[in-house]
C-alpha cells in the first residue's frame, strides 16, 4: 500500500502544502495560501524595517492549504498519509505565555505587533544585536563562536530583548519564546506546556546560541547581564533539542479532524526552510544549496572529518545535525536578493499610481521585471560601469551587519533603468561570491551550486550572471518546491518510511532540470569588477 | 521715441527671443523654438556622453523665434529696434573652414557629428582635458591659472583636440574653431573671414586660456606639443577679444530682411548665457547669481580692489570684464542640476513604455516631478538617510573632474522614489555649498544668492532646500527670462542707449519676486549631513 507524506513550507508571504508519494517523492497535489493580514501590510513599517506576522495568519492558511491539496488528490490518499513536517522562515520568534501560546493569540494582545511573530527580515533589534556581540567578547564563554562569531539582529535573542524593552505589556505577560517552526508542530499535535514543546536543533543551534559545549542555551547570568528583561526566561525554555528525523508527536484529534487525516499521522520536528530545502535539493558535501527568493539562504553540509574543529567566521552558524543528522550543517545567506529586484520594481512603479485603471496598473507592474531582465541581458559586461552593493536589507553573510545599506555608484545621465537593474543583479551575484570566498578561505571547498526557489527557477538572466560571477556551474532542481519536498522527506523519515535522511533523499529526490555554466570571458571580467564591489563596500 | 532691443537666449534645448523696451526693460513679447534635430535625439549618444548640435538647428530657430516675437508686438516696434545681442550655452564650439563657417554646413559634412557644435555637456574629451592639465603643469607658463587651475573636458581646446583626433575628414577641412556665441553675431552681421570675426572676452577668457598676460591664446609650441593635430589653428584664431558692451556690427541686408528689421540694428558682441543672465539678474559684488536649469552656472563679480591678485582654484575661471566691464567676472557651476531630476524622472518613466496611449503616458510623465517634490517635502530632515553625490554629469566646480560619477548611498528596502528624489535634491544643494565654500575659503565673500532659470522659478522645494543647505537667503528674479533680459541690456549698451552696463541694469532691471530664507533648524542638520556628502565624494 502506497504511503503519502505532506511537507508544509511556510515562506515569507505564504504557506504551501505539498502531498507526495513517500516511495518516490512524486508530487500528487499542492496548494498555496497567502497570509491574509500580512498581504494587507498590517503590523509592518518598512521605513523602520519592522516586519511582524500574526499567528492567526499561520493558523488560517494551514487548514486551508492542506485541505485544498488533499482535495486535489485521488481517493484514498488522505487515509494513507503517514507523516507531516513543516519548514518555516527563521529566525521568526514570538513571545509566549506559560502554555507556549504566542501572546498575540491572547485577549488584549490581538493587535499588538510586539506580541506577534517577528519575521526574519525585521531589523528593529540592531542595537540589541550589538550588545550581544559586545558582551560575548567579554564573556568567558564565546557563545557566538558556532554562529559565525557575529550575532545578527535577525536572530531570536536580539529580537526578544528588543521587544521586551519596547513593550511593558508584552514583558509583563511573556514567559517564554518560540520559533514558529517549533510552534506549528506543537499546535497540531496538541502539545501544551513548555516542557513538552520539542525544539528543533536547527533553529536552536543556528540562532539561539544553543550548544552542548555549554549545556544548551547561554546561562542565566549572561542573559540577565545582557538585559534584566530576560530574567527567568531561560528556565521556561529548553535544554534538549531534536533533529528533524525525530517525531514531535501525532496529530491531535482537533487537527486530525480539521485536516481530514488520521490521529496516527506522525508530525516531525521541524526546521528552517532553507535547511529542509537543501535536503529536498539532494544536498551532499561540497555542494552549496542556495534557496534564492526574497533573500538567499545558503546551506552546506560537512562530514566530521572535513569539518574537524574549524570555525568559519562571519557565517550564520555551524551546527551538528542541523541539516542532515551525522554531519555538520553550515548556514550562510544574503539578507536581500529578490527583495532588491522587487524594491527597484516598486521604485519604478511609483508613477503608475496615476493610472486609474487598477487592472492596467497591475498588468504593467507585472511586465517590469521580465522586461528589465531582457534589456539588461543585452548590455555587454564591459559596459557594466554601474556598481552596487547588495545590502539594502543589511548584510547577513559574510560578517552580519544590519547597519550597512545599499549603494549604487557609477551613475551618469545615461544610466537607464535596465542598466541600473543589471548593476543590482550583479550586486546580488557579488554578494554570493563574498560567501563562497569566505568558505574557501577557511578550507571548506565548494565545487558547485544548486539553486532552488523562485529566482533560481524563473530568472535565467540572474542565474547566468551568478554562474559567471562565481565561476562555478549552478544546477537548478527539478522540484518547484524543494523546501516542501525536503519537509516531506523528513516527514517520511520521522514516520519510519526510511531509516535515514540520505535514504529518503535517494528515493524521493527529483533531480536537476538545468545547469548554468560560467562563460569564461564574463567570469574574467567580473573578477575585476568584483574588486570594485569590494572597494565600494568599504565606504 | 521709444527704443527697443532684442535679447536672444540660446539654451540647451531651445532658443528664446525677447523683445523689450530699452527704457525700462519691460517685456513686449517673447517666442521660443526648440532645436528640431536635437529634439529628435539626433547626433547624440547619451551612453557615451556625446551631445552635438547642428548649426542648421540654430539658424532655423533664430528666424522663427524673432519673427514670432516681433509679430506679437504692437505696430511700430520692429522699426524702432536698435540692438540685438545673443547669449548662448558654452563652451559649445565647432570646427570651421577658412570663412569661419561651421563644417557641418559644408557639403559632405552635413550628417557628421564631429563637424557640428559640441554642446557644453558633451564629455567625450575627458582624455584630452587630462592631457591639457598635465602639460600645463610642466609648461613654463601656467595657462590654466585663470581658469581655476583645472581645464575641463567641457571646454573648447579639449573638445577641438578630441574631434581632430577622432575624425580625419574633419581634420583635413578644419581651419579654425568658433564658439557659437561668437558665430551667431558673425552670421547675422554677414561677417565672413576669420580676421573680422569678433571674439567675446567671456568665452575666450573662461574657456580658451586666453589672457593678456601671455598675449592671448597659448602659444603654438604649447598647442602642438599637446597634439600635432592642433598645428596652424592658432594663426587662424584671434589675439583680441571684446567685452559685450561693444558692437560686433550691424545686421546684414540678408538677415535684416529675414527678421523684418533695419540694417541699422546694432548686433552686440555676445557671451555665455549665465554671464549675461547674471547681468539681467542685477548682479552686484558679493551676490552669487545662479542660473539654475539642467546644470547651474554661477557668476560673481569682484571689483579690482577686492580681487587683487587672488587666484581661486578649482572654479571655471576669473576673467577681467567677462561679466561687467571694469570688474573681474568669476564663474563656477554644477555640471548637473535639473538634469539629475530629469534623469530620475526618465528612470521612473521606463515602465510607462508599456502604455499604448501616448497622451496618457505624457500626462503621467508630466506629473512625476511635481508629485515627487510634494512627497519629498514631507520627509523630515532627520529622515534624510539617503545621501547622494550630484556628479551624474561629472563635476564642474569645485575642481572640475569629468571622471567622477553619481553615487546614491544609504538605500534600504523602504527607500521610496520620493525619498530618493529628496536625496538627489539635497545632493544638488550640497554641490552648491561646495561652491560657496570654495569662494569663502579664498576670501571672496558671498552674502546672498540670486536664482534665475527654470528651477529657481518653478521648484520651491528645491530652492528652500538650497537655502537651508547654504544657510543663506536666496532671491528669485522677477524676470522669467533673465538671460534674454541680460542680452537685451547688453544690446542696449552696444547700441548706445546706455553708457555702461550698470546704467542699463539700473534702468532695465525687473527686481525680485520672492526670497527663500534658511530655516535655522534645517540648516544645522544639513551642516552635519553635508559632511557625509563630502565623505561619500571620496570613494
Amino acid at each position: 500500500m502506497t504511503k503519502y507524506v505532506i511537507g508544509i513550507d511556510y515562506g515569507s508571504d505564504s504557506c504551501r502544502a505539498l502531498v507526495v508519494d513517500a516511495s518516490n517523492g512524486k508530487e500528487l497535489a499542492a496548494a498555496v495560501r497567502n497570509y491574509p493580514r500580512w498581504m494587507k501590510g498590517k503590523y509592518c513599517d518598512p521605513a523602520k524595517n519592522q516586519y511582524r506576522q500574526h499567528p492567526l495568519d499561520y493558523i488560517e492558511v494551514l487548514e486551508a492549504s492542506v485541505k485544498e491539496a488533499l482535495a486535489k488528490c485521488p481517493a484514498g490518499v488522505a487515509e494513507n498519509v503517514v507523516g507531516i513536517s513543516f519548514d518555516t522562515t527563521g529566525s521568526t520568534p514570538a513571545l509566549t505565555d506559560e502554555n507556549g501560546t504566542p501572546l498575540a493569540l491572547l485577549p488584549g494582545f490581538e493587535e499588538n505587533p510586539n506580541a506577534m511573530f517577528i519575521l526574519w527580515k525585521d531589523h528593529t533589534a540592531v542595537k540589541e544585536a550589538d550588545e550581544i556581540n559586545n558582551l560575548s567578547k567579554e564573556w568567558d564563554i564565546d557563545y557566538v563562536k558556532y554562529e559565525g562569531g557575529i550575532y545578527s539582529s535577525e536572530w531570536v535573542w536580539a529580537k526578544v530583548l528588543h521587544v521586551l524593552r519596547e513593550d511593558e505589556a508584552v514583558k509583563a505577560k511573556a514567559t517564554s519564546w518560540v520559533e514558529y517552526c517549533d510552534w506549528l508542530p506543537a499546535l497540531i499535535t496538541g502539545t501544551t506546556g513548555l516542557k513538552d514543546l520539542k525544539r528543533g536543533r536547527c533553529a536552536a543551534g543556528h540562532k539561539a546560541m544553543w550548544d552542548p559545549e555549554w549545556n544548551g542555551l547561554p546561562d542565566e547570568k549572561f542573559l540577565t547581564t545582557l538585559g534584566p528583561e530576560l530574567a527567568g526566561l531561560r528556565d521556561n525554555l529548553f535544554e534538549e533539542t531534536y533533529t528533524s528525523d525525530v517525531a514531535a508527536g501525532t496529530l491531535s484529534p482537533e487537527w486530525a479532524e480539521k485536516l481530514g487525516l488520521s490521529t496516527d499521522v506522525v508530525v516531525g520536528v521541524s526546521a528552517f526552510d532553507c535547511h529542509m530545502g537543501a535536503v529536498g535539493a539532494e544536498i551532499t558535501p561540497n555542494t552549496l544549496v542556495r534557496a534564492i527568493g526574497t533573500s538567499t539562504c545558503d546551506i552546506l553540509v560537512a562530514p566530521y572529518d572535513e569539518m574537524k574543529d574549524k570555525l568559519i567566521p562571519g557565517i550564520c552558524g555551524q551546527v551538528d545535525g542541523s541539516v542532515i543528522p551525522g554531519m555538520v550543517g553550515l548556514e550562510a545567506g544574503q539578507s536581500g536578493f529578490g527583495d532588491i529586484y522587487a524594491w527597484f520594481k516598486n521604485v519604478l512603479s511609483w508613477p503608475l499610481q496615476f493610472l486609474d485603471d487598477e487592472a492596467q496598473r497591475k498588468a504593467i507592474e507585472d511586465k517590469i521585471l521580465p522586461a528589465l531582465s531582457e534589456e539588461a541581458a543585452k548590455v555587454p559586461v564591459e559596459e557594466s560601469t554601474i556598481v552596487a552593493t547588495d545590502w539594502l536589507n543589511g548584510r547577513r553573510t559574510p560578517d552580519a551587519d544590519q547597519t550597512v545599506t545599499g549603494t549604487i555608484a557609477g551613475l551618469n545621465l545615461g544610466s537607464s533603468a535596465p542598466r541600473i537593474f543589471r548593476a543590482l543583479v550583479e550586486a546580488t551575484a557579488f554578494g554570493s561570491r563574498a560567501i563562497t570566498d569566505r568558505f574557501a578561505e577557511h578550507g571548506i571547498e565548494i565545487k558547485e551550486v544548486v539553486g532552488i526557489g523562485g529566482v533560481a527557477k524563473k530568472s535565467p538572466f540572474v542565474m547566468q550572471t551568478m554562474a559567471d560571477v562565481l565561476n562555478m556551474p549552478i544546477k537548478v532542481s527539478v522540484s518547484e518546491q524543494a523546501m516542501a519536498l525536503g519537509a516531506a522527506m523528513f516527514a517520511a523519515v520521522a514516520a519510519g518510511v526510511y531509516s535515514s535522511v540520505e535514504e529518503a533523499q535517494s528515493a524521493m529526490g527529483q533531480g536537476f532540470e538545468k545547469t548554468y555554466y560560467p562563460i569564461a570571458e564574463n567570469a574574467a571580467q567580473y573578477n575585476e569588477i568584483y574588486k570594485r564591489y569590494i572597494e565600494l563596500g568599504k565606504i
Side-chain angles (χ1 to χ4, degrees), chain A residues 10 35 63 79 86 120 133 147 158 215 258 269 273 277 279 344 354 383 411 432 494 500 534:
Chain A
Y10 271 77
Y35 306 142
E63 185 176 348
E79 293 84 340
F86 296 93
W120 62 273
N133 285 310
E147 314 215 327
N215 300 315
K258 274 190 188 172
V269 166
D273 42 15
V279 169
F344 191 56
F354 301 118
E383 288 185 22
L411 296 166
S432 306
S500 74
I534 294 291

Side-chain angles (χ1 to χ4, degrees), chain A residues 273-284 287-291 299 323-324 448-453 475-479 481-487 489-490 505 508-512:
Chain A
D273 42 15
C274 49
H275 294 245
M276 286 198 166
V279 169
E282 300 167 63
I283 193 168
T284 57
T287 296
L288 183 73
V289 177
R290 313 197 75 202
I299 300 292
V323 181
I324 296 182
E448 64 174 7
V449 171
V450 168
I452 60 175
K475 296 193 296 194
V476 179
S477 287
V478 166
S479 174
Q481 310 306 336
M483 291 172 177
L485 178 60
M489 290 176 181
F490 277 107
Q505 284 185 300
M508 296 172 73
Q510 301 299 303
F512 305 97

Side-chain angles (χ1 to χ4, degrees), chain A residues 289-514:
Chain A
V289 177
R290 313 197 75 202
I292 312 173
T294 55
S295 63
T296 81
C297 186
D298 305 335
I299 300 292
L300 267 179
V301 288
Y304 298 145
D305 62 347
E306 184 184 2
M307 196 65 202
K308 297 198 179 87
D309 57 356
K310 286 172 189 148
L311 278 175
I312 319 294
I315 64 167
C316 307
Q318 50 189 75
V319 176
D320 184 9
S322 66
V323 181
I324 296 182
M327 286 194 263
V328 176
L330 300 107
E331 185 191 331
Q334 290 172 262
S335 302
F337 202 95
D339 256 0
I340 295 175
Y341 314 148
W343 163 78
F344 191 56
K345 174 185 159 182
N346 282 343
V347 169
L348 293 186
S349 298
W350 189 84
L352 300 178
Q353 67 181 294
F354 301 118
L355 275 178
D356 294 328
D357 180 344
E358 191 170 331
Q360 191 184 26
R361 186 164 68 232
K362 180 73 172 51
I364 293 178
E365 281 176 7
D366 289 346
K367 283 180 189 168
I368 292 178
L369 287 180
L372 282 174
S373 296
E374 190 182 330
E375 289 304 309
K378 293 177 188 164
V379 179
V381 179
E382 57 269 26
E383 288 185 22
S384 285
T385 51
I386 308 173
V387 180
T389 60
D390 54 316
W391 304 332
L392 280 88
N393 196 27
R395 185 179 60 219
R396 192 181 298 152
T397 315
D399 303 325
D401 187 346
Q402 292 313 331
T403 67
V404 297
T405 52
T407 302
I408 303 174
L411 296 166
N412 65 31
L413 296 179
S415 297
S416 63
R419 283 171 186 262
I420 296 169
F421 179 69
R422 183 174 177 112
L424 295 172
V425 169
E426 291 172 348
T428 51
F430 292 144
S432 306
R433 172 156 169 190
I435 291 171
T436 57
D437 276 10
R438 176 59 57 94
F439 283 112
E441 285 157 13
H442 292 272
I444 304 289
E445 195 184 5
I446 298 173
K447 289 182 182 159
E448 64 174 7
V449 171
V450 168
I452 60 175
V455 174
K457 299 289 276 189
K458 292 179 207 154
S459 305
F461 169 61
V462 173
M463 297 308 285
Q464 183 62 51
T465 302
M466 193 192 298
D468 291 348
V469 167
L470 295 180
N471 201 12
M472 267 180 216
I474 304 180
K475 296 193 296 194
V476 179
S477 287
V478 166
S479 174
E480 292 280 338
Q481 310 306 336
M483 291 172 177
L485 178 60
M489 290 176 181
F490 277 107
V493 179
V497 180
Y498 299 104
S499 62
S500 74
V501 172
E502 288 92 333
E503 210 177 282
Q505 284 185 300
S506 171
M508 296 172 73
Q510 301 299 303
F512 305 97
E513 64 177 17
K514 177 160 187 180

Side-chain angles (χ1 to χ4, degrees), chain A residues 129-141:
Chain A
D130 283 348
E131 292 174 31
I132 293 171
N133 285 310
N134 292 337
L135 188 63
S136 296
K137 285 191 200 102
E138 297 168 12
W139 213 256
D140 55 339
I141 296 176

Side-chain angles (χ1 to χ4, degrees), chain A residues 43 58 75 106 173 213 228 326 430 459 502:
Chain A
Y43 316 122
Y58 297 156
L106 303 181
K173 189 69 186 167
E213 189 175 311
F430 292 144
S459 305
E502 288 92 333

Side-chain angles (χ1 to χ4, degrees), chain A residues 15 47 51 56 90 135 145 179 193 201 242 271 277 314 373 400 505 520:
Chain A
C15 149
Y51 298 97
L56 284 177
L135 188 63
K145 75 176 181 182
E179 290 277 352
R201 171 74 52 84
Y242 300 87
S373 296
Q505 284 185 300

